[in-house]
């Protein structure tokens, strides 16, 4: 066990960092005495929260978040852990596991330098002004690490699937390519496992979709919209951000960074403005990646489920983003192979792509397509890693009290879930909680068969019967009755 | 050229598919070389081959097979015979004795009368019988045409109308009911009439263009250079331009004649045949045939020019080789000989040897000669001659391209062709049902299922329309006959409903041609336009009905249905599987499943991605046509996706309802989800969404969610699940509180539960537990 990646930090002196590492290590060791399988998740200090996440066996990620006094610093521990999980998943997707990097270079220099750039690039999306903004209670109607799907009719779904299979089978004879198809910032089809889909989707929404490409600043719109005006400083125990995010945007490196880049290959897939749309419709990655002496022309990702390296090849037509993943092992002649795949993709599928884009555009209900009036909701399908939420603009209309109470409720539910999972790992927990908040809104959480529904209803009637009726109505109309089993 | 076929016996031995030929004539021919006869005449109105001798005429009915029935003979008296035709009702024989006189003989009374023309100013070019309502005989003279009507009482002909204009020569086919009368210096100005049962249609006068050889020499068009053909129910005229060496194609509309292009010619002598709407242009000098499918106004040949093959009867193996050899030595030399006369539409008469051959298409050979599979399938789907065989051929082509793992795009187009064709058939069926609702009940009693009978009717109507003549082929006829009988039902019902005969015709016509037009719809032409303006060989319908009624009287529909099934099944090539219903060339989605997907599944199972892609394309095509696929196709998909662990795709397929929700699909998901709880949940969700409450509760119980099951059962009032199942689950969980709760639930909500043995048993158990 150890904490290998301790980045150089300007804000905090080395001694402070060292003491934080020592403290974290001590806490983990200590709590393991009582709970050997699951050591501590969070330590609350008066002015800080320490959030722990065991990313890999013997590898921990710790986030220390500073609390401030203006009451905005109410967050949900699981939401913070999800940030760590997401960072780790994305890191693993582009770099392989940390353990593998450490095995390759036991001194940890390689892993450290990669982590440093990667996490900094990742955190650049969390900046609000000059400070990092971690998900707060205002984001309680969001679920990180899930996929947002576009709902389509059967006919369109078949068209999309037909496109997906054309992409999957036509490219290289027997070699099956994987693909994700996104429309706007929503997923339409995938051939990856749910976990890989979630990672790839997250990355696409961050950096690849037309929306992400067009906005120079953060494309992660919900963060911006949800928490405008609040100011929370957060710092990570593993690494720390520079004083201002603009430096990353302009890609300025200090001398030590430059040296590191030369010594070790430094892929920075999360760096902004890496991707741009080429004339042929394919996205071009500005930086050339060079791993182990091999020059890769397209970025390579590592899929957890199939344990394969895949080339990343992205085609965009209007609002349709198609991510094609080509097995690296199939491509002995990297450049030519990918060019061939691209050519075949255009030959076989371009007509279909245009067709599908048209159909999806026609059926696209706009930003507020999934708004249900009277309800503010979050729907999570944990099996499929899918979530759906009220549009951010609508969530913003909620009173602070409502969100605050929901955040508390979710924290309770998180605890309850963990407890149930410990006791009966093979049985799924079903529960339903309705709370009347101070501002008389109904705050509801319902978990049934691996599906979670969180709901805020302001301006609702005061009886519990009314609230549960409302849930049932919602469930019948929008969830195929998944939450109205009894 | 004829020697070429025999030079490689191994190829000949294969029943056609390997031989270098797309068109063949089948041995044995109809033999009509009786000593003493002088010449052979073909009466296309009655399909009789006539051989006059000194004072009588021998007649052979030309049926679908050329079996040699002994000829009938009729007394015709002595005298020269220039041409001879039986009347359409068979009561009279008309004999052109000279260019001045036509003699008519009543077959019963043997009474004769003659019709002469004015010898000084005109001469008779020919005559024919017609079923046009206003007249019976048409006499073509150099000075015009006479429309004559037969008066049985007086036993003479009455002049109905005379149309006066000069005529150089004429061309007539009974198939088209159309006569073209040539006039002018070059004989290129044409008047045309169609004498159909619906009345007489006069075509606008038109002129055919001819290329000039030299400045001062103008070629004259001859009658043998003009051919009237019917392709897909449309009437065409082909004009052989010997100077430019091309065959000009004219299409006849009611109010216009439009040239539709030209085909190149490589021989100074040509002949034209139409078989199953395929146009055959025989390049007689070169002894090859070029075949065209004039469907979408596309005039490129289907395949390379290949010789006409002589093929023996269907004996196989070594014996066949010998037979072929013998045949070739016996007849080979006369292929495309000078004595060959090509008869409309698909016969060859060898006048010198007294033989009649029928030309056949080798569809397998045509299919295998082209690599453009979708086009081949389109071509095959347009054929009507031997539905069962063509269907099998299409199915085997589909299987083959899938097993060869052709690119998905090709497979897609191929599936699209088949599905579109079937969808069109279904539409036809619906159209028929719509117009014929009153007769449905009576049909149901006569046939196994209303659907089949209707498809059949539509099909045969279509076929007969297309072919223009009702040739009921013996070998394959049983199905067709029964189908035609159904058609009679339909038409009779039409007749009952509609008082006028004309409206009956128009109904039939439009139905028949709607088929074609719908198929043609992608060419962008409107259906209405065709219906209103296209000149159809509508009179073919009369032939059909005549034949049908004949058959109808002979046999009851029920018997014939049975016969139809047995005979058609005997020639199908797949024996171990469920037989496809031989009714039409179109392949239903069920058949697509049984004879394509089910058969290739095992071989392609190793590469599920490919097969899934194909199935998705099949779903896409069927959705486009609003057809449903066979439910087993969904099962197949689920199995393959589950087997290869493609959970997220499976989930997508289920949530987007690409796999249409059904109990079967849900149970399959549950089955496949034994190892994978997530897949199992997809199945459970589907059960719930389908409101299959009983099954849902049972599954919940199986998974140990007995309290949830109980709550769900209460909410949805499921009383069909045994209380003991809930109680047993509670006992298995070893939770006395829950057991007590379940027990209490049933005691409270199920009347007289307390009296059952279950109650006592579990009550005792509860006491023991606590």
């Amino acid at each position: 066990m150890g904490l290998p990646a301790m980045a150089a930090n300007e804000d905090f002196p080395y001694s402070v960092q060292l003491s934080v590492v020592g403290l974290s290590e001590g806490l983990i060791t200590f709590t393991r005495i009582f709970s050997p399988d699951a050591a501590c998740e969070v330590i609350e200090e008066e002015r800080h929260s320490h959030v722990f996440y065991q990313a890999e066996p013997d590898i921990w990620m710790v986030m220390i978040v500073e609390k401030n006094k203006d009451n905005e610093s109410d967050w949900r521990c699981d939401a913070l852990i999800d940030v760590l999980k997401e960072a780790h998943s994305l890191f693993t997707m582009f770099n392989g596991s940390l353990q593998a990097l450490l095995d390759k270079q036991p001194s940890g220099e390689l892993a450290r330098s990669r982590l440093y750039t990667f996490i900094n690039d990742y955190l650049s999306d969390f900046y609000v002004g000059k400070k990092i903004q971690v998900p707060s209670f205002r984001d309680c109607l969001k679920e990180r690490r899930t996929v947002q799907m576009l709902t389509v009719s059967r006919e369109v779904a078949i068209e999309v699937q037909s496109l997906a299979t054309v992409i999957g089978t036509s490219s290289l004879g027997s070699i099956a390519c994987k693909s994700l198809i996104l429309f706007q910032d929503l997923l339409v089809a995938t051939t990856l496992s749910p976990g890989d889909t979630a990672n790839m989707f997250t990355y696409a929404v961050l950096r690849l979709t037309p929306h992400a490409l067009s906005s120079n600043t953060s494309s992660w719109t919900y963060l911006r919209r949800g928490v405008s005006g609040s100011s929370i400083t957060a710092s990570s125990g593993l690494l720390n951000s520079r004083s201002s995010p603009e430096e990353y945007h302009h890609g300025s490196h200090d001398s030590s960074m430059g040296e590191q880049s030369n010594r070790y290959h430094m892929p920075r897939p999360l760096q902004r403005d890496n991707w741009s749309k080429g004339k042929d419709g394919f996205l071009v990655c500005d930086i050339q990646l060079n791993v182990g002496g091999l020059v890769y022309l397209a970025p390579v990702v590592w899929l957890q489920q199939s344990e394969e390296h895949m080339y990343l090849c992205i085609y965009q037509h209007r609002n349709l983003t198609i991510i094609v993943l080509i097995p690296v092992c199939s491509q002995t002649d990297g450049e030519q192979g990918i060019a061939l795949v691209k050519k075949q993709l255009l030959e076989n599928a371009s007509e279909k792509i245009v067709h599908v884009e048209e159909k999806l555009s026609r059926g696209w209900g706009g930003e507020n397509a999934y708004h249900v009036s009277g309800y503010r909701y979050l729907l999570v399908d944990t099996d499929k890693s899918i979530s759906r939420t009220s549009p951010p603009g609508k969530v913003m209309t909620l009173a602070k009290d409502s969100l605050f109470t929901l955040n508390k409720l979710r924290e309770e539910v998180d605890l309850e879930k963990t407890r149930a999972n410990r006791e009966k790992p093979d049985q799924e927990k079903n529960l339903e909680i309705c709370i009347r908040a101070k501002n008389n809104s109904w705050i509801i959480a319902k978990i049934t068969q691996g599906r979670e529904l969180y709901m805020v209803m302001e301006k609702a009637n005061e009886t519990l019967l009314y609230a549960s009726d409302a849930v049932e109505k919602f469930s019948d109309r929008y969830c195929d009755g998944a939450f109205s089993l009894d | 050229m004829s020697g070429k076929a025999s030079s490689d016996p191994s190829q000949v031995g294969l029943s056609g598919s390997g031989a270098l030929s797309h068109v063949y004539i089948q041995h044995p021919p109809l033999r009509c070389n009786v000593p003493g006869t002088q010449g052979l005449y073909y009466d296309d109105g009655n399909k009789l081959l006539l051989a006059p001798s000194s004072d009588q005429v021998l007649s052979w009915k030309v049926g679908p097979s050329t079996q040699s029935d002994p000829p009938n003979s009729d007394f015709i008296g002595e005298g020269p015979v220039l041409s001879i035709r039986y009347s359409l009702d068979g009561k009279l024989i008309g004999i052109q004795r000279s260019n001045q006189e036509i003699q008519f003989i009543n077959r019963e009374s043997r009474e004769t009368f003659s019709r002469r023309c004015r010898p000084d100013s005109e001469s008779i070019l020919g005559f024919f019988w017609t079923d046009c309502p206003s007249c019976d005989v048409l006499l073509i003279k150099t000075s015009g045409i006479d429309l004559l009507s037969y008066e049985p009482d007086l036993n003479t002909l009455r002049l109905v109308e005379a149309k006066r204009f000069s005529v150089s020569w004429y061309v007539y086919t009974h198939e088209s009911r159309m006569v073209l009368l040539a006039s002018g210096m070059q004989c290129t100005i044409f008047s045309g009439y169609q004498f159909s049962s619906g009345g007489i249609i006069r075509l606008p006068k038109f002129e055919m263009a001819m290329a000039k050889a030299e400045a001062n020499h103008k070629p004259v068009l001859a009658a043998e250079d003009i051919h009237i053909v019917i392709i897909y129910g449309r009437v065409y005229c082909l004009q052989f331009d010997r100077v430019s060496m091309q065959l000009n194609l004219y299409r006849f509309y009611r109010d216009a004649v439009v040239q539709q292009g030209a085909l190149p010619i490589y021989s100074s002598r040509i002949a034209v045949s139409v078989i199953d709407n395929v146009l055959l242009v025989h390049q007689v000098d070169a002894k090859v045939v070029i075949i065209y499918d004039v469907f979408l106004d596309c005039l490129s040949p289907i395949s390379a020019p290949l010789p006409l093959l002589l093929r023996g009867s269907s004996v196989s193996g070594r014996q066949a080789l010998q037979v072929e050899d013998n045949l070739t030595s016996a007849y080979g030399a006369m292929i495309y000989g000078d004595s060959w006369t090509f008869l409309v539409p698909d016969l060859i008469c060898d006048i010198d040897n007294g033989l009649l051959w029928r030309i056949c298409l080798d569809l397998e050979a045509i299919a295998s000669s082209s690599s453009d599979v979708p086009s081949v399938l389109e071509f095959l789907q347009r054929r009507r001659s031997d539905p069962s065989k063509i269907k099998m051929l299409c199915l085997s082509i589909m299987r083959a391209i899938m097993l060869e793992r052709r690119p998905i795009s090709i497979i897609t187009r191929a599936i699209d062709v088949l599905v579109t064709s079937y969808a069109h058939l279904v539409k036809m069926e619906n159209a028929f049902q719509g117009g014929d609702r009153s007769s449905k009940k009576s049909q149901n009693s006569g046939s196994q299922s209303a659907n089949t009978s209707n498809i059949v009717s539509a099909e045969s109507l279509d076929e007969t329309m297309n072919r223009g003549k009702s040739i009921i082929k013996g070998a394959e006829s049983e199905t067709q006959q029964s189908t035609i009988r159904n058609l009679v039902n339909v038409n009779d019902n039409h007749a009952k409903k509609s008082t006028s005969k004309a409206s009956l015709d128009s109904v039939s016509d439009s139905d028949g041609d709607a088929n074609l037009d719908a198929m043609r719809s992608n060419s962008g032409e409107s259906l209405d336009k065709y219906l209103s303006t296209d000149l159809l060989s509508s009179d073919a319908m009369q032939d059909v009905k005549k034949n049908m009624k004949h058959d109808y009287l002979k046999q009851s529909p029920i018997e014939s249905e049975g016969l139809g099934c047995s005979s058609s099944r005997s020639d199908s090539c797949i024996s171990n599987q469920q037989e496809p219903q031989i009714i039409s060339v179109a392949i239903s989605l069920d058949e697509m499943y049984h004879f394509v997907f089910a058969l290739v599944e095992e071989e392609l199972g190793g590469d599920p991605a490919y097969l899934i892609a194909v199935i998705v394309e099949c779903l896409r095509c069927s959705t486009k046509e609003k057809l449903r696929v066979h439910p087993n196709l969904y099962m197949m998909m689920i199995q393959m996706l589950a087997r290869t662990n493609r959970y997220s795709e499976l989930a997508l397929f289920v949530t987007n309802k690409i796999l249409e929700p059904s109990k079967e699909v849900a149970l399959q998901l549950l089955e496949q989800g034994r190892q994978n709880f997530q897949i199992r949940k997809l199945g459970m969700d589907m059960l719930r969404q389908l409101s299959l409450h009983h099954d849902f509760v049972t599954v919940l119980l199986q998974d140990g969610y007995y309290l949830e099951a109980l709550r769900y059962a209460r909410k949805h009032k499921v009383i069909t699940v045994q209380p003991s199942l809930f109680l047993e689950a509670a006992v298995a969980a070893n939770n006395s509180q829950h057991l007590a709760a379940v027990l209490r639930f049933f005691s409270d909500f199920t009347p007289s539960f307390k009296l059952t043995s279950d109650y006592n048993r579990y009550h005792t158990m509860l006491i023991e537990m606590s």
Side-chain angles (χ1 to χ4, degrees), chain A residues 313-331:
Chain A
C313 175
I314 295 121
Y315 181 78
Q316 209 160 66
H317 171 69
R318 292 164 178 266
N319 285 318
L320 200 68
T321 306
I322 297 167
I323 302 172
V324 186
L325 298 163
I326 309 149
V328 168
C329 58
S330 73
Q331 300 295 305

Side-chain angles (χ1 to χ4, degrees), chain B residues 262-464:
Chain B
L263 310 172
I265 295 297
Y266 309 99
S267 160
S268 65
R269 229 184 104 205
I270 64 151
V272 169
S273 310
V274 174
I275 300 159
D276 201 3
N277 296 312
V278 178
L279 176 66
L280 275 58
V281 180
H282 304 270
Q283 317 278 339
V284 176
D285 290 350
K287 298 200 176 187
V288 290
V289 193
I290 306 180
I291 53 181
Y292 300 91
D293 186 14
V294 188
F295 186 69
L296 293 170
D297 298 337
C298 160
L299 294 181
S300 51
I302 294 169
S303 63
L306 283 174
L308 181 71
L309 192 75
L310 173 66
R311 192 190 285 182
S313 48
S314 54
V315 274
S316 57
R318 191 170 292 274
Q319 206 181 350
L321 295 186
Q322 279 186 340
V323 173
E324 299 284 350
D325 276 349
N326 293 342
L327 281 178
T328 319
S329 54
Y331 299 101
M334 62 195 202
I335 285 186
Y336 287 125
D338 292 338
S339 65
W340 269 20
T341 310
F342 290 83
L343 304 175
V344 174
D346 57 354
L347 297 171
I348 296 170
C349 183
D350 187 338
I351 294 176
D352 288 358
N353 301 298
L355 301 174
L356 186 76
W357 303 93
R358 180 180 295 281
I359 312 169
C360 305
L361 284 180
D362 189 344
L363 291 174
E364 279 121 326
I366 295 171
S368 62
S369 70
S370 171
S371 58
D372 183 2
V373 175
S375 305
V376 166
L377 288 174
E378 263 176 1
F379 172 78
L380 290 175
Q381 288 291 307
R382 288 198 285 264
R383 306 282 72 80
R384 295 288 179 265
S385 59
D386 189 349
S388 63
K389 198 171 154 194
I390 291 169
K391 198 174 210 169
M392 291 306 168
L393 192 56
C394 289
L395 288 168
S396 69
I397 290 173
M398 270 314 297
R399 284 195 298 270
I401 57 171
M402 281 168 71
L403 291 174
E404 288 166 21
R405 314 233 174 153
R406 297 278 189 94
I408 295 291
S409 54
I410 302 277
I411 309 266
T412 306
R413 279 174 57 214
I415 292 177
D416 204 28
V417 167
L418 296 184
V419 172
T420 311
S421 169
Y422 177 68
H424 168 254
L425 180 74
V426 173
K427 267 178 225 150
M428 283 286 300
E429 174 198 352
N430 291 341
F432 240 80
Q433 277 173 341
D436 201 41
R437 222 161 269 139
S438 65
S439 70
K440 285 295 297 169
K441 277 177 194 161
S442 59
Q443 281 194 349
N444 281 348
S445 59
S447 54
Q448 287 169 330
S449 85
N451 274 355
T452 48
S453 77
N454 261 304
I455 295 171
V456 161
S457 321
E459 171 56 31
S460 81
L461 181 60
D462 177 34
E463 179 195 349
T464 46

Side-chain angles (χ1 to χ4, degrees), chain A residues 273-450:
Chain A
D273 306 329
N274 260 350
W275 295 92
S276 56
K277 196 169 171 182
K279 275 180 189 149
D280 54 355
F282 286 94
L283 297 195
V284 188
C285 192
D286 286 344
I287 41 157
Q288 290 222 337
L289 302 179
N290 172 336
V291 179
L294 287 169
V295 176
Y296 291 118
L297 284 142
V300 174
V301 295
W302 168 256
L303 293 186
Q304 292 167 2
Q305 196 204 25
S306 52
E307 301 192 331
E308 266 181 301
H309 276 110
M310 307 287 249
Y311 286 113
L312 198 55
C313 175
I314 295 121
Y315 181 78
Q316 209 160 66
H317 171 69
R318 292 164 178 266
N319 285 318
L320 200 68
T321 306
I322 297 167
I323 302 172
V324 186
L325 298 163
I326 309 149
V328 168
C329 58
S330 73
Q331 300 295 305
T332 44
D333 52 344
E335 190 176 353
Q336 269 184 319
I338 292 172
L340 186 69
V341 170
K342 285 183 175 177
K343 188 167 149 266
Q344 287 189 335
L345 182 74
L346 287 179
E347 272 171 13
N348 297 329
S350 54
E351 208 176 305
K352 270 204 158 99
I353 291 170
V354 172
H355 180 67
V356 164
E357 205 279 339
E358 267 172 23
K359 287 219 156 181
L360 292 176
S361 291
R362 220 172 292 148
W364 168 234
E367 223 175 311
N368 286 341
Y370 301 123
H371 174 57
V372 181
S373 67
Y375 297 85
R376 301 293 180 272
Y377 66 93
L378 163 67
L379 194 61
V380 185
D381 188 324
T382 47
D383 289 330
K384 300 174 194 161
S385 302
I386 293 172
S387 72
R388 170 163 295 172
T389 67
S390 293
K394 299 285 178 185
V395 175
M396 269 173 71
T397 65
L398 285 179
K400 192 176 163 188
D401 267 347
S402 309
L403 289 168
F404 199 78
T405 317
L406 177 62
N407 196 50
K408 283 267 173 278
L409 176 60
R410 285 203 66 181
E411 198 136 33
E412 288 301 316
V413 171
D414 289 342
L415 277 176
E416 194 59 39
K417 273 191 329 198
T418 337
R419 199 173 299 145
N421 199 29
R422 249 199 316 270
E423 283 164 12
K424 281 184 187 168
D426 53 332
Q427 282 264 337
E428 285 182 319
K429 180 77 186 169
N430 293 350
L431 64 82
E432 180 174 11
I433 304 170
C434 297
I435 291 176
R436 188 100 158 132
K438 265 187 247 166
N439 63 345
N440 282 343
S441 58
W442 281 105
I443 314 292
I444 297 160
K446 188 156 185 175
I447 299 182
T448 311
Q449 310 262 337

Side-chain angles (χ1 to χ4, degrees), chain A residues 53 81-83 85-86 89 143-147 198-199 202 385:
Chain A
Y53 168 54
I81 292 179
D82 277 344
V83 173
K85 282 182 179 170
E86 184 174 86
S89 305
E143 185 74 0
R144 200 171 281 271
R145 304 180 62 241
T146 55
V147 170
N199 292 339
T202 306
S385 302

